[in-house]
């Protein structure tokens, strides 16, 4: 077992999420956690500290980019699909804001 002390939801394991997509999601979450200096449990948890929220939003955006549907990403993060969509949009807005101000 690696840095994942969080039990992955059984709904994800039993749904139409391929093993490759599940592994990609785990790898992405681990990478984002290390990049932001937070734990995987922080990303998977409910904390509203800005540093953790930004990491969670980035992780959701990247996991969604692997081809998973919003509901599938929601199962992984234990969130509703609409929460996932909101977090993805906020992550993208943060990226666009940084791009506009770094020109």
């Amino acid at each position: 077992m690696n840095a994942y002390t969080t039990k992955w939801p059984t709904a994800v394991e039993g749904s139409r999420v391929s093993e490759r997509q599940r592994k990609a999601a785990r790898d992405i979450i681990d990478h984002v956690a290390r990049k932001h200096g937070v734990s995987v449990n922080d990303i998977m948890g409910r904390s509203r500290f800005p540093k953790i929220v930004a990491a969670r939003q980035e992780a959701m955006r990247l996991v969604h980019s692997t081809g998973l549907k919003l509901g599938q990403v929601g199962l992984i993060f234990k969130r509703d699909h609409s929460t996932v969509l909101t977090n993805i949009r906020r992550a993208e807005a943060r990226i666009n804001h940084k791009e506009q101000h770094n020109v």
Side-chain angles (χ1 to χ4, degrees), residues 1 8 13-14 19 23 35 37 41-42 50-52 56 60 65 71 74 76 79-80 85 88 98-100:
M1 187 169 195
W8 293 96
E13 294 171 13
E19 182 59 34
K23 183 179 179 338
K35 175 183 169 187
N41 284 339
D42 287 337
K51 179 179 181 177
I52 296 170
R56 184 180 305 124
M60 285 184 182
S65 73
I76 292 170
R79 305 295 198 286
D80 183 77
L85 179 60
I88 290 170
K98 285 181 182 179
E99 289 175 356
Q100 289 176 356

Side-chain angles (χ1 to χ4, degrees), residues 34-91:
R34 282 186 271 117
K35 175 183 169 187
H36 286 268
V38 300
S39 72
V40 170
N41 284 339
D42 287 337
I43 290 177
M44 300 302 290
R46 298 284 179 190
S47 174
R48 292 187 182 182
F49 285 112
K51 179 179 181 177
I52 296 170
V53 169
R56 184 180 305 124
Q57 290 170 347
E58 181 179 342
M60 285 184 182
R61 183 182 68 82
L62 292 172
V63 169
H64 181 256
S65 73
T66 66
L68 291 175
K69 296 178 182 178
L70 294 174
Q72 293 169 315
V73 176
L75 288 172
I76 292 170
F77 286 90
K78 300 178 187 171
R79 305 295 198 286
D80 183 77
H81 77 279
S82 61
T83 301
V84 173
L85 179 60
T86 299
N87 281 311
I88 290 170
R89 287 178 176 166
R90 288 181 179 171

